[in-house]
Amino acid sequence: MPELPEVEGVVRSLQPAVTGRTIECVTISPMIYTSHEAGKQSIIKGLQPDEFVEAVTGMTIQDVTRRSKYIYFTLEYAGATYKLVNHLGMSGAFFDVHDVSEILEEKFRKHAHVTFTLDNGKKLIYSDIRRFGEMRFLRKIEDHPPLMALAPEPFDSIAKDHFLTYCALPKYSKKEIKAVVMDSHVLCGCGNIYATEALFRTKINPGRITSRLSRAEKEQLFDEIVAVLSESIAYGGSSISDYRNINGEAGGMQGRLQMYGMNICPMCHTNSEQKIIAGRNSYYCPNCQK
DNA sequence: CGCATCCTCCGGTTGC
DNA sequence: TGCAACCGGAGGATG
């Protein structure tokens, strides 16, 4: 499941593949048409599949960037710019290929839902096994309020103050700290994996109520989240649940995770425990994390 | 109106 | 072998 470092890896591998390319045609899988006919906004959000195809065809991709776990493509047509926003959800992946047959794994071939044929003869294919991801065509980012409400990028100089300020708000201060660090309004890009790791590294129990953490603990936690995200980016992300960049390359961070998915604490060797926080399974060491 | 609490979307994976 | 339960980002509906 891609979090910020994995999305960063996807963006970096997308940039040389699509920058400056014109989208000659777009095709959407029959499965997506069927879902839309049933009244569901499967993957393509805000538009019907045909409207999406019509909107994007002929546009030139000016650049590809990332904001939190969202991928932003800037599209240009007739002097005006637009945004194509993608979220990989649980199981989304892009592939840079000449043909869908080049995708090695059957499940990604089977769920190739959006195909952009580019002017260099290659195809940018978006596959999404569980269809939790999204594609959204916007005139500008401001047209989608949830994107505007995201916390600053964690590497932004104002992100720490934002985090500390939001932690103190009544809405968040009463919640468990792990739920708060995974809330994109407080701190963006940190999902279950990196929240688990940063809490373990700072010896903070994920179930502690936010207001009970000292300022020093919150600062330390924020710093550790930034550190673990940076480390993961440097290692190419964590290849858990089939994560690959667009060239099919796995990351190396999964081997450096210390608590996510672990049954035994690597520090003290006691059995780890699990607790559901904000609907997600949370591993922690009851001995090390207080 | 703001906030909290579900609900929804899916299929590979897991467990019975 | 077969089948049902399970899991989860994040927007959106509901209370």
Side-chain angles (χ1 to χ4, degrees):
Chain A
M1 63 193 83
E3 295 183 27
L4 187 152
E6 293 75 37
V7 176
E8 178 68 22
V10 170
V11 168
R12 290 183 185 183
S13 55
L14 277 170
Q15 282 164 344
V18 304
T19 303
R21 299 265 71 89
T22 293
I23 299 165
E24 292 190 335
C25 70
V26 182
T27 56
I28 310 283
S29 73
M31 216 182 281
I32 296 307
Y33 278 99
T34 303
S35 284
H36 274 258
E37 284 157 15
K40 295 166 187 172
Q41 296 203 4
S42 188
I43 297 185
I44 308 292
K45 311 291 184 185
L47 293 177
Q48 287 301 115
D50 284 338
E51 294 172 326
F52 178 85
V53 170
E54 170 70 20
V56 171
T57 300
M59 293 204 169
T60 298
I61 303 170
Q62 279 192 338
D63 59 51
V64 190
T65 57
R66 175 191 63 69
R67 174 78 173 91
S68 185
K69 304 176 196 173
Y70 292 87
I71 297 170
Y72 289 179
F73 296 83
T74 303
L75 304 182
E76 184 272 331
Y77 184 79
T81 60
Y82 306 83
K83 293 288 182 188
L84 174 59
V85 178
N86 168 263
H87 193 293
L88 298 170
M90 300 294 300
S91 54
F94 280 101
F95 296 91
D96 174 36
V97 293
H98 292 91
D99 186 83
V100 66
S101 61
E102 286 175 35
I103 298 174
L104 297 178
E105 289 163 285
E106 150 74 18
K107 57 189 173 186
F108 283 114
R109 280 199 305 277
K110 177 179 172 185
H111 298 281
H113 291 309
V114 185
T115 300
F116 302 90
T117 301
L118 306 178
D119 62 354
N120 60 353
K122 294 191 82 177
K123 290 172 178 167
L124 176 68
I125 297 181
Y126 178 69
S127 296
D128 193 336
I129 297 162
R130 270 168 238 178
R131 286 186 258 170
F132 271 39
E134 68 173 73
M135 289 273 185
R136 196 183 287 277
F137 178 79
L138 301 171
R139 281 174 298 140
K140 53 187 189 305
I141 293 303
E142 289 76 7
D143 290 346
H144 192 57
L147 293 175
M148 301 303 293
L150 290 171
E153 282 296 303
F155 309 110
D156 191 309
S157 60
I158 65 169
K160 190 170 183 173
D161 281 345
H162 179 94
F163 172 72
L164 294 171
T165 301
Y166 271 58
C167 278
L169 298 178
K171 180 177 176 180
Y172 302 108
S173 67
K174 301 181 188 73
K175 291 186 177 179
E176 293 157 309
I177 186 63
K178 181 160 176 280
V180 173
V181 300
M182 288 195 298
D183 189 309
S184 63
H185 302 99
V186 182
L187 192 160
C188 77
C190 181
N192 201 7
I193 297 173
Y194 301 111
T196 296
E197 293 302 305
L199 286 160
F200 177 72
R201 290 181 178 197
T202 51
K203 313 288 183 214
I204 296 170
N205 189 295
R208 281 183 56 197
I209 299 303
T210 300
S211 63
R212 303 288 189 181
L213 272 69
S214 69
R215 182 183 173 98
E217 283 177 315
K218 283 180 284 196
E219 289 200 35
Q220 191 191 2
L221 178 58
F222 177 88
D223 291 342
E224 199 60 50
I225 288 168
V226 172
V228 74
L229 291 175
S230 299
E231 182 181 335
S232 183
I233 289 171
Y235 276 86
S238 301
S239 285
I240 289 174
S241 304
D242 307 309
Y243 165 74
R244 299 286 188 277
N245 71 14
I246 72 162
N247 303 309
E249 296 160 349
M253 187 65 186
Q254 64 279 4
R256 303 181 63 80
L257 302 178
Q258 298 181 78
M259 181 49 62
Y260 182 82
M262 301 295 171
N263 293 316
I264 295 176
C265 173
M267 298 301 287
C268 72
H269 307 293
T270 59
N271 291 331
S272 67
E273 292 182 3
Q274 297 173 50
K275 182 182 180 188
I276 303 296
I277 297 175
R280 270 146 280 166
N281 200 9
S282 305
Y283 285 82
Y284 65 99
C285 173
N287 183 44
C288 292
Q289 292 174 266
K290 300 297 185 186

